[in-house]
Amino acid sequence: MTIQINKALLGKEYPPYAVTVERGKIKEFARAIGNDDPLYLDDRVGAASAWGDVIAPPTFSITFRDEAADTAAFLKELGTDISRILHGEQEFEIFRPLQPGQTYLCRAKIVDIYEKTGRSGPMAFVVRETSIADGSNEIVATMRGVTVVRL
Amino acid sequence: MKYARVYFDEVKVGDELPPLVKGPIQQIQLTRYAGASGDFNPIHQDDEFARAAGMGGVFAHGMLSMGFVGQAVTDWSGAGTVRKLGVRFAALVRLKDVVTCRGRVVGKSSKDDAHLVELEVWAENQRAEKIVTGRATVALPSRT
């Protein structure tokens, strides 16, 4: 049975949400990948570096979630559920590495929704862009994710 | 080469990154990545759920493979050098799969004080099937 995606979400901007990066989360994330780079893990190496502290790995901002938002509710609004979604593409642009103790403001927007039929049947592609700004409202990173919905 | 400093001047188009081998992928790593990333989709944890969803069983988070690719890049270029990393998830990674991340320099440019190197990056499984393909841009220090 195929499902219909709610294309009315195209262009939707979500309320900004703040994320404060915890030192331990950076280390937990690096270790979960199996990355033991001391610039992520060793506070002394971080302090002696050009950044003055440890930094986050390039994909770390994928952990930035709106605590007030409910993933299940978002998927329901989209017209699907978690069993039908796959991660199609992901891109990060990083102007300055993310660092512990900093609070970042994230703004997400649905920038494209399109459908295609692939080898495994009809699919919808939902493209979401998120900008990440630091305390002085300067954008330090952006991310763009494509969620594939099996229709 | 790991954590050694690579300079823009010494990089040539066609240079290859040292391959980074990860795995065999175990369930515990997917559970650990779920905790670290906050992505608790049961499709990566619960085999019964994954089968019922028509996926033929548990598979790894795409973001775990992307993390591996990011590591292959920064093991070569240095942590904090990545300006852009973009991938397409081409195939699923299953339990027991071995993932090898690779990369190749495809371009160089300098603008103002930024010395940028463009990389083609990808990861493949033990059957040499591409599971991730993408591009990265890193900013490197220059000797001049």
Side-chain angles (χ1 to χ4, degrees), chain B residues 96-110:
Chain B
K96 300 194 176 83
D97 278 0
V98 175
V99 176
T100 303
C101 305
R102 300 178 187 278
R104 181 188 297 132
V105 175
V106 294
K108 288 177 71 175
S109 63
S110 290

Side-chain angles (χ1 to χ4, degrees), chain A residues 13-64:
Chain A
E13 292 181 34
Y14 290 85
Y17 59 97
V19 177
T20 300
V21 173
E22 293 169 33
R23 184 172 300 277
K25 281 305 280 187
I26 290 178
K27 297 177 185 185
E28 182 189 10
F29 186 82
R31 289 196 180 105
I33 293 166
N35 190 338
D36 56 4
D37 195 308
L39 202 49
Y40 305 142
L41 299 181
D42 188 328
D43 293 338
R44 279 179 298 182
V45 170
S49 75
W51 288 281
D53 201 343
V54 294
I55 62 169
T59 62
F60 180 75
S61 56
I62 203 74
T63 66
F64 287 8

Side-chain angles (χ1 to χ4, degrees), chain A residues 92-110:
Chain A
F92 298 89
E93 197 161 4
I94 300 154
F95 306 108
R96 185 180 168 82
L98 303 174
Q99 295 198 274
Q102 302 294 314
T103 297
Y104 298 99
L105 196 66
C106 307
R107 291 181 179 88
K109 182 179 180 180
I110 306 291

Side-chain angles (χ1 to χ4, degrees), chain B residues 13-63:
Chain B
V13 170
D15 282 358
E16 293 198 5
L17 273 54
L20 175 68
V21 182
K22 293 284 195 173
I25 300 297
Q26 295 179 296
Q27 182 62 62
I28 187 69
Q29 185 163 27
L30 306 189
T31 304
R32 199 172 177 184
Y33 187 79
S37 69
D39 180 351
F40 290 100
N41 187 337
I43 218 153
H44 307 302
Q45 310 296 332
D46 181 341
D47 206 58
E48 208 173 307
F49 180 92
R51 284 180 195 283
M55 300 311 294
V58 158
F59 59 95
H61 305 77
M63 286 308 302

Side-chain angles (χ1 to χ4, degrees), chain B residues 129-142:
Chain B
E129 295 159 346
K130 286 194 174 159
I131 52 130
V132 170
T133 60
R135 300 276 285 216
T137 305
V138 295
L140 295 181
S142 171

